[in-house]
Every structure is written in structure tokens, then in C-alpha cells.
Amino acid sequence: MKRSFDRRQVLMLGAGAAAIAALGIPGGPAYAKNDYEEVIAKFTGGKTPTPSKVKLDLPEIAENGNTVPMTVSVESPMTPQSHVTDVLVVTDGNPRAGVATFHFSPASGIAEANTRIRLATSQNIIAVAKMNDGSFFTASKAVKVTIGGCGG
Amino acid sequence: MSVKPRIKLDKKEAKKGDLVEVKALVSHIMESGQRKDRDGKTIPRKILNKFTCTVNGKEVFSADFEPAISANPYIQFRFRAQESGPVVLTWIDDDGSKIVGEESIKVN
Amino acid sequence: MLSRRDFLQVAAATAALVPGGWSQAFAQQRLTQAELLRFEATGNVTLLHIADLHGQLQPLLFREPSINIGVGDAKGLVPHISGRALLDHYKIAPGSAAAYALSSEDFTALAKSYGRLGGLDRIATIVKAVRAERGDRVLLFDGGDTWQNSYTSLITKGQDMVDCLALLRPDAMTGHWEFTLGTDRVKELIEKLGFKFLAQNIRDTEWNEPAFEAMATYDRGGVKIAVIGQAFPYTPIANPRWMIPTWSFGIREDELRANVAKARESGADLVVLLSHNGFDVDRKLASRVSGIDVILTSHTHDALPEVVTVGKTLLIASGCHGKFVSRLDLDVRDKQVKGYRFRLIPVFSDVITADSEMAALIAKIRVPHEKMLGERIGKTDSLLYRRGNFNGTLDDIICDALLSERDAEIALSPGFRWGTSILPGQDITREDIYNATAITYPATYRTTMSGARLKEILEDVADNLFNPDPYYQQGGDMVRVGGMSYTIDVDKPVGNRISDLTVTRTGKPLDPAREYVVSGWASVNEGTEGPPVWEVVMRHIEKKRVVAAAPMSRIRVLQR
């Protein structure tokens, strides 16, 4: 039986195309910006977070844009006196910036969470941590969502 | 239909102050609200938007999810063992329904 | 008339006398087995390393790259020095055996003089000799890309390689192309392997837990050695993810740091990373992860005659296709490498005796197929090779075959780094074609793509090769094209490297809005249909009878 090819099924259209399909947007230019700056500003009340203490762990190149493992952690003693309260995660290249907000307390013992996220295209993921003293810290990581194939 | 989440704790018993790792997976489409169907109509958003973990009734970790969280959401985190009791994980759907799963921890 | 063996000795003896360790041996001495194996042993541990055999059991011709561009911090550094510059860098005399083994310079002429390299039976001789000399101080490692990419490895699903490697008794391996056999077969082979398959950087996609053993420890020469495996981090991107849906890879630096710490805490005197990262990734990794004494690199097929050091970490690169065996002697005391001596041993097949046991097994594996594999399908008038950043001449032939046999306007062919070389005037055999195409997903698709989409694909693959940060590189060479030409500026950012896209047949620019009929192979997507690429290429060559291609006729490269 001759099988007709959907455009997305042809050679080397791997993770990127699949992710675009899931988010229902056409493949836009890499690093197209969304409203992530406003989302961060709302979270920090306009304060500029310091690039420190936060660690974002994602693969440099996504295997599958539909499900990219992400770990965010924040250096903190997590005591009643000094702890992380919230961590906002946004992206600058998805149609909408928001990914998740994690809420911690001294009962958490450690400010660390791992989940899997959708990335429509190559872009930056940004995490902003809010401490109980009202200070903010941040980190970002670029993830490439590639067409794939041709390697080796 | 109620969905049964799958939950893994890295230990069933812990010493007070130990960190306990929780991993949980739940089946859910996490419909982003940005996809269109064949007729070009937007498929309405339907995601699990909130996750909470309590230990012995006290919240130790929670999260708000956006549509950029993958289908069949996975969550992994840790908490500090303080007292024995049920470890209850709750996901809240856009439609208001809940998915609840429970394990327990014994703290020595 | 001189026999080849006599000639080799004469050639080596008459080569210019030059300073420097590795080449000097050739220049000053006769090319004999004793000389190739000569090594002033040092210390208490000997590491032997082979990598990237790509299913090759027999001696072969493999032309090293003439274009191997380095970007970012790797610009101008080995292994991104090729041809004459490489010879100058290592002070290797042009025309010498070393020059032939390590560079693309005068390949055709030197291949006729020095013959084929490799052969697992010759490698077995070397391994046995080193074991005889060094006793219990020896560890042998296979860096992976062993189980696939030849005819016999394809039809036996890697069994031929596993059986032959078993005779060689390695201590551990890691993998990349191995995974294109699919989850079940990989598990099945590992179960009966008889030695460790290590990969600290693979986790299951469901629970994020280690899917393979990360580390093994050995006692050799009174030294406790921890070996950590690192599989190719981008296997599910470069190769079909659907074949291994439950495994997630990645570089996983943090996990590696934790494993190194674990090794040290458990008392390891020496920590070795058996890596399939590719050289540039390993060079960056060595600068960021402390506590690794030796990285046995692979994947990018670099053959480096000297150790590269990054801080206290020693990096060695052992080439591919069985052309070389690396020997690294280490003096390990007080949990430190106090001294070392290294030699990249070239496996000149006419000089090194075949090990009879291994030779017999290889013969047994090949007998049922030997006649078919040896069948002549045509002849080449020019040197055919693949390795290099852009279209090799053999890739041009493959693309021509896709264009004509699949009636396409544009052809795309993967930038694999493996495949053997064929000299001008030589017959092309079926085996030559399998050596360049034997994969588990060989279907040649035929479809349409817009000019804009074609540019997008070239840009995407170019970034996987020329992103200035090695962690964002995928390690293959550039996708090969037929039916069109282009200019590439490697220093530009993603999306801006490719220009002057021109349709060869019309001489007109590639129209971004027009749909072109495209044929290619090695699609990473499940359900791709079409005849296997080797059939297409063989049919094309059989019709043409004689083929030829000029180097770099389709691509213009700019680099500042």
C-alpha cells in the first residue's frame, strides 16, 4: 500500500514539528518573544531578580519538544528564617510565557522540583525564585528544539 | 471516571529530618487551549492547573501548572520528614474535579 | 618486484627524518609489527581503547577528513586541523605511513603504497601482545558505535560484532548506533555480552531513573579503577527516537559529577570516562567536571597521535573503523596520575599479523555472504569517500542515485561520519555500498518540500555542527545535498548561515515558496516508506557502470 505523507512525517522532522503540532502554532522564528517579561514583572512586583542561587537543569537539545525534562532548584537553608517561597518558570518562545509556579516552605526541606514541559521552538527557559525576605533570584537556560536526524 | 495516579516514594521509613523524594505520574491530556480541530475551531483548554502535596495534613509542596506542562504530567520533589502520616497528592482539573493519590511515610 | 610488506619497510625507512614522538618511529625505523607495537612501558596501569568500528571486521580504506572545521573555543585546535596543516602540527613527514593513517593528504597514492588499515583479527594480535607484556595491568575498552553499519552487522542485528568482541574480551563498552537496534535487541545483547555496557546518562522516560549501569570498578596493577560510561547524549535526536521510546539521554553533567564523587568516595585511585560524547563535548566537559583522570573519547572519529590535556584530565581520541588501537600507560600513585605514556597504534593490515582465532571467526561470519558482497556493480573514476563536514564524493554519488532512481529534484543524505573509501579505478562492490548505508531505517522517501523548508533543514543541521557551544552540537557532519548548491558561513548564528541556494539543473535560486520533489533516506520518523537506500544506490551505479565525482562541487564554505 502506498502511504501518503503528511508534511510533518517526512525526513528529519522530529521533535520540533511534533511540539509545534501540540501547541497548535505554525513554526515561528526561533527565539520569538512572548509576554514573559510582563509575567516576571508581575511576579516580582517590578523588582529585577539577581542572577544567582537558582539552577535550571534542562537538556541543551530537546529530544522531544512535547516533553522536555526540567529541574529547578534554589540554594537556600529552607529554615523559617530563610527560605524560598515561590519559583516561577516561564519561557520566552512559547505562544504563552507561563510554565509553572512552585510553592515551597520550610516543610519542603529543599527547594527543588522536576517536571516535563512543552517547548514549541528553540528558546530560553527562565526561573525566578522569591525568598521569604522579598528578594528575587533568577537563572535561565537555552534549549534547542531541533529537527533532528542526520547525526552520527 | 477517576484516574489513579502513580506515586513513588524513595523510602517508606525515614528518620526525622531526612529528605523524602516523591515522584508522581498522572494520565491527563493537558489540552493547551491553543490547538485547533479539523474545522479550525479552538479545542477548549482542559489542564490540571494545581498540584498539592500534604504530609499528615500539612502542605509541604504545591505547584500551579500552565498549558506548557506536558501531557500525563510528571512531578518530582522532596520534603523533609517530620512526622509519620499519610502523604496525599491532589491534582485539580480546570473543570473543578480532583485526582487524589495517597501513600504514607513512617518517621522514626 | 617488491611485495607490499617489503615496500612498506622501504617506504618507512626512506621517509624524511623528523622530530616528534609518534612520527619519528616511522621515519627512523622500519614499518614492522615489532615497531608498531614498540612501547616503553610505564607505570602500573595500561588502558587500551578502540572505538567507532561501525561494524567493520576487516581491513579497509578510510580517508580522514580534509575539512573538519572547529568553531568557538575549538577553532584552530585539534581535531579541527586537517590535511597538510595536521601534518605540520604533529611534525609528520608527508608521504609517511603516519601521514597516510592520520590525514587526507595524498590519500590515493599513499593508499596504494601502504594498503588497508584495521581488521579485528589484527587488533586481536595487538591486544594479546599488550596483555602478554603487561599481564594484569591491562584494561580494554570499546567506546561504542560497534554493533552497526556493515552488511553482516545489519543482518545479524549486531550479533557478529558481539561475538567477535567477546573474543577480544573488553572490560566495558558504551553505545550510540547500538541503540538503532531498538530497545529489546539492545537489552538482549547486553544480557549475554559477558562484559559491562555502561551509560550514566540514560534514564527511563517514565520515572527518571537510571536505565543502565553507570560505572564499573576494576583492580589492575594494585590500582582501583572506576570507569564511568557515557553514551552518545543525542542518540534519540540524531537517530530514531521511536526505536528507543523509553530511554532519555542527554549530557547530564550533574549526574556525572555525582558519579565521579561516588567513585572517589568508594576509593577509586583512577577515574576514567568511557565516552561517546564527541571530542569537543568532552573537551568542554573536562573543563567543567573535575576529578576525571582520563577521558577515552569517541563519536567524532578523530585520530589524535598525542594526548590532549584539559587541566589534569587526559583526553585520547582513537580514530574509527579499526584503524587504530590506543595504548595509554599510566603511573597511578596516591590517587593521582604521576606520569603517562601514549601511543596511537596504527593497524597496518599488511604489517600486523592476523590473530588466527579471530580471523577464523570473521571468516565464518562472512562465508555465507562473501560472494554476494564481493560482486562488482560498477567502477569509479575518482576517489570516493564520505568523511568531512560537507558532501563527500561518495555522498555525491548517493545523492545522484536518489535524484535519478527516485525521480527527485533535490536529494538529502545524512552526514554520517562512517563509510569506507574507494580508490579511483577500483571496482565498486556491493559491500562498498553497504559500508556506507547499512542502517536499520534505510527507506528512501520521496516527498515534496518548499524551498523555505529545505533552507530551514540546512540551517538546523548546520547549527548542530557549528553552534559555538559544543553542548549544543550533535556531532554528525552536515546533511549532504544533491540537485542544489549553497554557500555556508559557519560563523553566523543559527538561521543565517546558509545562502546562495541554487537549483543545479536550472541554475536558478531555490524558490522559498515553490514545492520541490525531494528524496532522502535515514528519516528519524516511524513509518517512512520507500526502497532501502543500498538498492537505490546499487541500481544507479549498475546503470551508470562508471561513476565519478569531484570534491566539494556543491558547497562553498566561508569562515573568518
Side-chain angles (χ1 to χ4, degrees):
Chain A
M1 193 187 83
K2 176 107 177 101
R3 183 168 162 167
S4 72
F5 276 93
D6 181 86
R7 183 77 49 81
R8 271 185 252 104
Q9 284 181 308
V10 299
L11 166 84
M12 305 185 297
L13 312 193
I20 289 160
L23 285 160
I25 57 154
Y31 301 99
K33 300 295 180 228
N34 55 27
D35 61 340
Y36 78 99
E37 285 164 321
E38 291 94 274
V39 175
I40 292 172
K42 199 175 153 199
F43 179 73
T44 63
K47 284 191 191 172
T48 304
T50 310
S52 174
K53 294 186 194 257
V54 182
K55 188 168 177 201
L56 259 177
D57 188 14
L58 293 107
E60 283 75 12
I61 309 177
E63 291 173 5
N64 174 1
N66 282 327
T67 171
V68 184
M70 175 194 76
T71 303
V72 61
S73 55
V74 188
E75 260 177 63
S76 164
M78 295 303 278
T79 58
Q81 295 74 34
S82 174
H83 59 270
V84 181
T85 59
D86 311 275
V87 177
L88 170 78
V89 180
V90 297
T91 68
D92 68 1
N94 276 353
R96 293 177 47 173
V99 174
T101 312
F102 303 110
H103 308 287
F104 300 97
S105 68
S108 309
I110 183 167
E112 184 184 292
N114 173 316
T115 187
R116 292 166 191 158
I117 71 174
R118 291 167 169 157
L119 296 176
T121 183
S122 296
Q123 57 187 299
N124 297 297
I125 293 81
I126 304 125
V128 183
K130 182 181 182 180
M131 318 305 261
N132 65 319
D133 66 0
S135 58
F136 292 90
F137 296 91
T138 188
S140 73
K141 168 108 182 187
V143 175
K144 187 154 86 171
V145 179
T146 170
I147 294 168
C150 301
Chain B
M1 193 191 85
S2 77
V3 181
K4 198 160 167 55
R6 290 185 291 157
I7 304 168
K8 274 189 170 188
L9 267 56
D10 71 337
K11 44 179 95 68
K12 294 277 175 204
E13 287 188 31
K15 286 200 283 284
K16 194 173 157 78
D18 278 358
L19 288 172
V20 180
E21 185 178 71
V22 183
K23 295 178 176 183
L25 267 169
V26 58
S27 293
H28 196 284
I29 187 167
M30 295 296 277
E31 187 61 58
S32 69
Q34 289 146 25
R35 289 203 310 166
K36 291 195 166 37
D37 65 15
R38 272 185 199 168
D39 305 326
K41 283 195 296 191
T42 301
I43 304 169
R45 177 183 133 151
K46 183 178 172 18
I47 68 165
L48 297 170
N49 61 59
K50 178 87 190 163
F51 169 79
T52 310
C53 174
T54 61
V55 180
N56 212 20
K58 299 184 182 84
E59 180 177 314
V60 295
F61 173 80
S62 68
D64 300 306
F65 292 149
E66 303 286 340
I69 296 295
S70 306
N72 306 323
Y74 173 81
I75 186 80
Q76 178 184 329
F77 58 94
R78 287 185 277 181
F79 67 86
R80 195 175 292 287
Q82 293 294 344
E83 50 193 317
S84 300
V87 178
V88 179
L89 279 62
T90 309
W91 290 259
I92 299 175
D93 194 297
D94 277 346
D95 67 11
S97 63
K98 281 184 185 179
I99 299 170
V100 181
E102 186 176 322
E103 286 286 325
S104 66
I105 185 80
K106 191 173 173 218
V107 179
N108 302 312
Chain C
M1 171 130 181
L2 291 173
S3 73
R4 170 164 282 156
R5 193 172 297 237
D6 294 336
F7 178 83
L8 286 177
Q9 294 180 2
V10 173
T14 54
L17 195 135
V18 289
W22 196 79
S23 56
Q24 195 173 29
F26 286 112
Q28 294 179 337
Q29 308 285 334
R30 294 187 144 205
L31 198 56
T32 61
Q33 179 166 319
E35 178 47 38
L36 288 175
L37 289 170
R38 192 183 62 84
F39 195 106
E40 202 183 323
T42 189
N44 39 12
V45 176
T46 293
L47 303 182
L48 293 176
H49 182 232
I50 52 170
D52 294 290
L53 286 174
H54 286 280
Q56 297 298 337
L57 294 169
Q58 290 201 302
L60 46 75
L61 299 174
F62 181 84
R63 174 192 178 272
E64 299 294 332
S66 51
I67 302 177
N68 188 14
I69 297 170
V71 289
D73 293 342
K75 196 170 179 169
L77 300 181
V78 294
H80 302 288
I81 302 175
S82 51
R84 184 60 194 256
L86 175 107
L87 302 184
D88 293 345
H89 179 85
Y90 284 116
K91 298 182 172 62
I92 293 167
S96 65
Y100 166 62
L102 290 167
S103 83
S104 57
E105 286 290 279
D106 301 322
F107 182 80
T108 299
L110 297 181
K112 286 172 185 162
S113 306
Y114 293 111
R116 293 168 185 259
L117 278 97
L120 210 58
D121 46 7
R122 275 74 167 182
I123 291 174
T125 298
I126 296 171
V127 169
K128 280 185 178 173
V130 175
R131 281 185 174 137
E133 177 201 338
R134 295 283 279 169
D136 78 336
R137 296 185 184 87
V138 181
L139 284 171
L140 169 66
F141 297 111
D142 171 11
D145 274 0
T146 306
W147 296 351
Q148 278 297 280
N149 309 134
S150 64
Y151 179 79
T152 55
S153 63
L154 182 70
I155 60 153
T156 64
K157 298 184 175 71
Q159 194 65 55
D160 62 335
M161 299 308 293
V162 168
D163 292 347
C164 288
L165 265 289
L167 278 188
L168 217 52
R169 290 188 292 112
D171 293 284
M173 73 178 292
T174 189
H176 166 203
W177 274 92
E178 284 70 15
F179 297 106
T180 64
L181 291 166
T183 312
D184 292 345
R185 181 61 175 161
V186 169
K187 283 182 174 171
E188 186 181 47
L189 287 175
I190 289 174
E191 213 164 277
K192 293 178 187 165
L193 204 53
F195 54 90
K196 300 278 189 186
F197 189 102
L198 301 174
Q200 73 95 28
N201 60 327
I202 307 177
R203 297 200 161 217
D204 79 87
T205 50
E206 192 168 45
W207 291 109
N208 188 32
E209 279 163 12
F212 291 83
E213 280 183 271
M215 188 176 358
T217 55
Y218 308 87
D219 282 297
R220 290 289 186 281
V223 178
K224 191 171 176 190
I225 302 156
V227 178
I228 302 169
Q230 174 88 349
F232 176 50
Y234 297 126
T235 303
I237 302 165
N239 307 91
R241 178 162 49 90
W242 62 267
M243 292 179 169
I244 43 167
T246 59
W247 290 332
S248 175
F249 292 60
I251 296 171
R252 298 186 187 270
E253 239 187 26
D254 283 340
E255 284 95 328
L256 179 59
R257 276 191 198 95
N259 277 312
V260 172
K262 200 170 136 191
R264 292 287 178 193
E265 280 158 24
S266 69
D269 301 305
L270 180 76
V271 176
V272 176
L273 185 68
L274 177 61
S275 169
H276 208 93
N277 276 334
F279 196 85
D280 290 345
V281 174
D282 278 325
R283 178 157 42 200
K284 177 176 172 181
L285 186 136
S287 73
R288 293 171 54 90
V289 179
S290 59
I292 302 171
D293 296 300
V294 178
I295 304 183
L296 305 172
T297 77
S298 62
H299 181 57
T300 38
H301 292 193
D302 314 297
L304 299 182
E306 289 172 15
V307 171
V308 172
T309 57
V310 177
K312 288 182 176 172
T313 307
L314 312 178
L315 278 72
I316 71 157
S318 308
C320 65
H321 291 66
K323 278 180 75 175
F324 304 94
V325 175
S326 277
R327 173 175 173 178
L328 179 66
D329 277 21
L330 297 161
D331 181 13
V332 183
R333 276 174 288 141
D334 309 324
K335 299 190 180 294
Q336 282 186 354
V337 175
K338 302 284 188 189
Y340 65 88
R341 194 165 285 140
F342 173 72
R343 187 164 186 192
L344 181 71
I345 303 168
V347 186
F348 281 97
S349 64
D350 292 317
V351 179
I352 292 172
T353 317
D355 173 74
S356 58
E357 191 187 13
M358 185 71 85
L361 180 56
I362 294 170
K364 190 178 150 209
I365 287 163
R366 290 181 57 86
V367 156
H369 317 290
E370 196 91 59
K371 188 164 169 285
M372 182 279 289
L373 290 172
E375 275 170 24
R376 175 190 188 277
I377 55 166
K379 196 188 124 187
T380 178
D381 269 350
S382 62
L383 173 65
L384 299 183
Y385 61 89
R386 172 179 283 151
R387 180 73 180 98
N389 286 157
F390 306 98
N391 279 46
T393 48
L394 183 55
D395 299 303
D396 287 350
I397 304 297
I398 292 171
C399 287
D400 290 348
L402 291 166
L403 292 175
S404 67
E405 294 296 317
R406 299 291 281 153
D407 191 22
E409 297 173 278
I410 304 290
L412 297 176
S413 183
F416 297 148
R417 295 189 175 212
W418 45 269
T420 49
S421 309
I422 312 161
L423 300 179
Q426 263 189 347
D427 287 344
I428 303 171
T429 64
R430 294 199 190 282
E431 182 154 39
D432 290 326
I433 303 308
Y434 283 116
N435 282 346
T437 58
I439 63 171
T440 54
Y441 50 108
T444 50
Y445 64 85
R446 183 176 187 276
T447 187
T448 59
M449 285 184 203
S450 68
R453 183 67 192 164
L454 283 162
K455 179 176 188 293
E456 202 182 331
I457 288 170
L458 294 185
E459 291 283 5
D460 194 86
V461 181
D463 194 64
N464 286 334
L465 188 55
F466 298 120
N467 190 301
D469 183 341
Y471 279 17
Y472 291 86
Q473 296 168 5
Q474 237 183 59
D477 281 317
M478 187 68 187
V479 59
R480 279 46 175 150
V481 298
M484 67 174 178
S485 60
Y486 65 89
T487 297
I488 180 165
D489 186 341
V490 297
D491 296 316
K492 290 262 175 71
V494 62
N496 297 291
R497 291 188 180 94
I498 310 291
S499 61
D500 299 340
L501 285 148
T502 305
V503 178
T504 311
R505 202 173 49 185
T506 61
K508 289 187 176 149
L510 192 80
D511 180 355
R514 181 163 142 6
E515 294 287 326
Y516 293 88
V517 177
V518 179
S519 183
W521 60 289
S523 166
V524 295
N525 290 319
E526 191 168 10
T528 303
E529 289 180 9
V533 61
W534 48 80
E535 268 182 36
V536 170
V537 176
M538 287 179 200
R539 222 182 305 146
H540 171 75
I541 295 173
E542 278 164 347
K543 282 181 195 165
K544 296 267 289 183
R545 292 165 193 271
V546 179
V547 295
M552 286 297 280
S553 58
R554 295 167 190 182
I555 297 124
R556 198 163 69 97
V557 183
L558 307 175
Q559 193 190 24
R560 264 155 242 121

